[in-house]
């Protein structure tokens, strides 16, 4: 209901996310990067999954992920304003975010930078220690949710699609 009834972009993101991972599973690296690039364009939160799919062997195909950036071409006159909502939403607002709610009383306006640093460390740990693409995608999406300053119920949908593969009482 959250996704379809309210037209949240997570449904588009999930489609391209799963399509990209399926392409990688089938050895179609270019198509995988293209689909994951489209997932990132629909919702930036898919970016860590794209990063988790990079290997030495497929790095030469990674530029395919940039092709969906062409969707920005009609909006080039906005300049950096394209990201103004993301910056304002991520930097000045917080609601229901697990780590953000714990850190905000301690760090105040420094909380968003601390969350970025924590997320970067967690993603680096996953990238270096988890060598299963599906599991690293699931874990990285979970880390993103944990580090978001604002968490709405529909933000959990990309994590939830992996629950049949990786059952977890905590995420349920």
């Amino acid at each position: 209901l959250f996704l379809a009834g309210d037209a949240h972009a997570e449904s588009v993101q999930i489609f391209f996310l799963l399509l990209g991972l399926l392409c990688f599973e089938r050895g179609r690296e270019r198509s995988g990067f293209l689909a994951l690039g489209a997932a990132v364009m629909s919702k930036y939160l898919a970016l860590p999954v794209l990063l988790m799919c990079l290997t030495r062997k497929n790095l030469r195909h990674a530029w395919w992920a940039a092709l969906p950036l062409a969707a920005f071409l009609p909006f080039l006159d906005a300049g950096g304003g394209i990201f103004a909502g993301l910056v304002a939403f991520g930097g000045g607002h917080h609601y229901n975010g697990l780590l953000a709610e714990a850190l905000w009383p301690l760090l105040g306006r420094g909380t968003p930078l601390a969350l970025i640093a924590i997320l970067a460390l967690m993603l680096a740990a996953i990238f270096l220690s988890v060598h299963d693409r599906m599991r690293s995608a699931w874990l990285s999406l979970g880390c993103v949710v944990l580090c978001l300053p604002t968490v709405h119920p529909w933000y959990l949908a990309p994590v939830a699609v992996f629950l049949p593969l990786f059952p977890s009482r905590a995420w349920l």
Side-chain angles (χ1 to χ4, degrees):
L1 289 174
F2 280 125
L3 300 181
D6 292 338
H8 290 289
E10 278 78 8
S11 57
V12 175
Q13 176 197 30
I14 290 168
F15 170 76
F16 284 116
L17 184 71
L18 295 178
L19 178 62
L21 291 170
L22 177 65
C23 289
F24 278 108
E25 288 298 310
R26 294 189 173 170
R28 301 185 63 189
E29 308 282 321
R30 292 177 189 152
S31 298
F33 279 119
L34 182 64
L36 289 180
V40 172
M41 286 300 297
S42 64
K43 198 89 176 196
Y44 302 126
L45 304 179
L47 182 61
V49 175
L50 177 79
L51 299 175
M52 294 299 154
C53 290
L54 290 172
T55 66
R56 273 188 227 137
K57 293 179 182 177
N58 70 14
L59 196 56
R60 69 182 184 278
H61 300 299
W63 70 270
W64 282 83
L67 286 179
L69 287 174
F72 275 136
L73 290 177
F75 307 102
L76 284 179
D77 61 335
I82 290 175
F83 301 105
L86 178 66
V87 171
F89 197 77
H93 302 281
H94 65 97
Y95 172 73
N96 210 27
L98 180 67
L99 290 177
E101 294 297 328
L103 293 177
W104 209 271
L106 301 171
L107 303 176
R109 293 195 177 271
T111 300
L113 289 176
L115 291 171
I116 290 170
I118 292 168
L119 179 61
L121 288 171
M122 290 192 303
L123 294 176
I126 293 167
F127 186 80
L128 295 172
S129 64
V130 179
H131 303 293
D132 175 77
R133 187 175 284 128
M134 291 292 192
R135 187 172 202 75
S136 65
W138 174 62
L139 290 170
S140 65
L141 288 168
C143 289
V144 167
V145 170
L146 291 174
C147 291
L148 284 174
T150 298
V151 177
H152 297 292
W154 50 91
Y155 290 7
L156 298 172
V159 176
V161 298
F162 288 93
L163 289 177
L165 297 174
F166 308 107
S168 168
R169 285 187 178 154
W171 282 108
L172 283 174

